[in-house]
Amino acid sequence: MTSVTAAAAATVSLFFLLLLSTTAAAATLSTDVSALKAIKSAINPTTIPSYSCLASWNFTSDPCSNPHVTHFLCGLSCSANRVTQLTFDPAGYAGTLSPLVSQLTQLTTIDLSDNKLSGPIPTSLFSLPNLQTLILQSNSFSGTIPPVISNLKAIETLDISHNFLSGSLPDTSSLLTLTRLDLSFNKFTGPLPKLGRNLVEFAVKANRLSGDMPKTSFNELTQLEVVELSDNSLTGIIPGWFFLQPALQQVNLADNGFTGIEILKPIDSDLVAIDAGYNKISGYLSANFTKYPMLSSLSLRYNKLQGPIPEEYSRTTTLSRLFLDGNYLNGMPPKEFFSGRSSVTGSLGDNCLKSCPTSSQLCLKSQKSSSICRQAYGGKNKMRQKL
Ligand SMILES: *[C@@H]1O[C@H](CO)[C@@H](O)[C@H](O)[C@H]1NC(C)=O
Ligand SMILES: *[C@@H]1O[C@H](CO)[C@@H](O)[C@H](O)[C@H]1NC(C)=O
């Protein structure tokens, strides 16, 4: 034996010794094993395909011990003898989530996304003290989110989008670690809730939320960058303070019942995109939108805006997408839009504009008929006065 191979052999045996010792040390805590057993037995066995993670959960071997060659190949991670992550593969598992999941008190991550789990989210889950990431998106969970959600003291990411949850949105104002909250595509009703002040992203698209934009929801949210409220039944006037939130970048308020929009000049703003299309917003188009130094995309399409398009819209260098189609805007659109110098794309069609050149992409959709426009401006006589 050369010294090199002797050293190699020593290294290899040391490796196996280490392996044996970690195996011995990692006998999973019995309450974690019983929780995992309960979690697997709550899944309908006919929905556990042979290639899936859960199929490899065979409790003749220890869940946390290494190496996992045939059993417990995936679906969980451990640290020493405790389960720290529960991460189902999207195999189409149907069934429920066992309430015994709360025995896994060292869990930092639960990700069960893209399966067919149904029934309520067990209330006990919200007592997990170390949970940082909870992703249950694209399942069939129903029922409500209980107020005890405020016990998730370590939670950072909460995504329960694309389920069948109902009731009112939970108050998350005491969850100061929460940065991302996505409850989109459910059946939530009632008003917007109070939010934790370190939230960065808030999404509740496609629910049945109502009421106006309450100051109490967005008070002191200095980190908030993304707000997705589209496809709900929110009403009232979108207040000017909303767009002045210091970190705000993207706002989607489309497909609601808002009747007005107030837009104030910012001192400084990172706002990049505003979509308030498909509402019932009336009044004039404010030039203040053009004072947002980063704003590159603005949609107010399919509302009830009247009056002219302020010249400022054709002079900004940041605005590249402008959708104002489907309103009652009148007068002549700013000429600079069509001079070749403006790089704005979008649509000004389906309004009451005069001489929108059809050679421009912006004017492809034709304008409303003069009778519809006359009606919008209060009939023949008033129309004459205005012109
Ligand atoms: C679990 O593993 C044992 C030993 O490897 C094996 O005999 C048994 O059939 C397995 N059970 C299932 C349900 O796969
Ligand atoms: C523009 O913003 C200023 C204050 O920032 C406000 O006083 C004014 O009413 C706004 N104008 C319009 C047309 O929205």
Side-chain angles (χ1 to χ4, degrees):
M1 230 187 220
T2 67
S3 62
V4 173
T5 48
T11 312
V12 168
S13 41
L14 185 67
F15 174 73
F16 278 110
L17 268 176
L18 279 173
L19 211 65
L20 279 173
S21 60
T22 48
T23 306
T28 310
L29 195 73
S30 64
T31 46
D32 277 20
V33 177
S34 59
L36 293 174
K37 282 181 181 167
I39 287 165
K40 183 172 178 181
S41 29
I43 306 297
N44 179 346
T46 64
T47 65
I48 302 179
S50 56
Y51 57 80
S52 67
C53 289
L54 275 185
S56 77
W57 286 20
N58 178 331
F59 292 91
T60 59
S61 68
D62 186 78
C64 286
S65 57
N66 282 309
H68 292 303
V69 179
T70 53
H71 301 334
F72 293 100
L73 295 176
C74 51
L76 80 169
S77 310
C78 298
S79 173
N81 65 337
R82 300 301 310 273
V83 178
T84 55
Q85 304 200 358
L86 187 65
T87 48
F88 284 4
D89 46 334
Y93 304 126
T96 60
L97 178 57
S98 168
L100 292 193
V101 68
S102 62
Q103 285 181 194
L104 303 171
T105 54
Q106 288 300 310
L107 274 181
T108 59
T109 300
I110 297 179
D111 183 350
L112 311 178
S113 45
D114 295 298
N115 280 293
K116 293 173 181 159
L117 302 176
S118 57
I121 300 169
T123 301
S124 60
L125 182 149
F126 299 111
S127 67
L128 288 168
N130 299 303
L131 198 63
Q132 295 168 359
T133 303
L134 175 59
I135 304 179
L136 302 176
Q137 60 118 324
S138 301
N139 277 284
S140 302
F141 287 110
S142 57
T144 60
I145 296 183
V148 290
I149 192 173
S150 58
N151 292 341
L152 289 175
K153 291 299 180 206
I155 197 75
E156 292 169 10
T157 296
L158 192 56
D159 181 350
I160 319 183
S161 60
H162 295 270
N163 278 282
F164 300 105
L165 298 173
S166 57
S168 52
L169 290 173
D171 180 341
T172 54
S173 58
S174 64
L175 301 178
L176 300 184
T177 49
L178 187 63
T179 56
R180 187 166 166 256
L181 176 60
D182 192 344
L183 300 170
S184 300
F185 296 94
N186 278 287
K187 297 173 175 201
F188 288 111
T189 51
L192 294 172
K194 285 189 187 160
L195 300 167
R197 78 174 116 84
N198 292 311
L199 204 59
V200 174
E201 196 180 325
F202 175 54
V204 286
K205 181 188 171 89
N207 279 284
R208 296 162 188 174
L209 303 172
S210 57
D212 57 7
M213 192 80 86
K215 182 113 195 183
T216 48
S217 292
F218 296 95
N219 224 1
E220 293 176 14
L221 266 55
T222 56
Q223 318 291 317
L224 191 64
E225 294 176 3
V226 178
V227 180
E228 168 57 273
L229 303 178
S230 65
D231 200 359
N232 278 289
S233 303
L234 299 168
T235 51
I237 292 170
I238 305 161
W241 58 256
F242 179 81
F243 299 102
L244 297 179
Q245 296 181 87
L248 206 57
Q249 294 178 15
Q250 287 184 52
V251 174
N252 195 344
L253 309 172
D255 280 298
N256 275 288
F258 290 115
T259 49
I261 189 165
E262 185 187 15
I263 185 89
L264 303 171
K265 281 183 205 164
I267 292 168
D268 191 17
S269 170
D270 292 336
L271 249 181
V272 172
I274 299 174
D275 188 346
Y278 299 94
N279 277 283
K280 295 170 182 165
I281 298 169
S282 60
Y284 294 107
L285 175 62
S286 169
N288 283 352
F289 284 108
T290 65
K291 304 292 189 284
Y292 283 71
M294 308 290 282
L295 192 68
S296 75
S297 179
L298 173 64
S299 172
L300 290 162
R301 66 196 312 198
Y302 293 92
N303 277 291
K304 298 177 171 181
L305 293 171
Q306 295 195 329
I309 300 172
E311 292 289 334
E312 285 90 334
Y313 281 87
S314 60
R315 295 197 201 118
T316 77
T317 49
T318 49
L319 203 59
S320 61
R321 285 161 48 85
L322 177 63
F323 287 90
L324 298 174
D325 46 320
N327 282 286
Y328 299 93
L329 298 168
N330 69 359
M332 307 256 275
K335 281 194 219 62
E336 289 91 333
F337 274 142
F338 318 111
S339 67
R341 260 172 291 146
S342 166
S343 57
V344 174
T345 60
S347 180
L348 309 176
D350 197 9
N351 274 297
C352 299
L353 296 169
K354 278 201 285 183
S355 352
C356 202
T358 45
S359 57
S360 165
Q361 289 275 344
L362 286 169
C363 302
L364 277 187
K365 214 180 294 174
S366 58
Q367 298 295 314
K368 287 187 164 74
S369 75
S370 53
S371 65
I372 288 175
C373 290
R374 220 177 292 136
Q375 232 171 30
Y377 283 89
K380 251 179 191 166
N381 295 331
K382 277 192 185 159
M383 183 77 173
R384 232 177 248 135
Q385 279 166 15
K386 273 210 169 113
L387 292 180

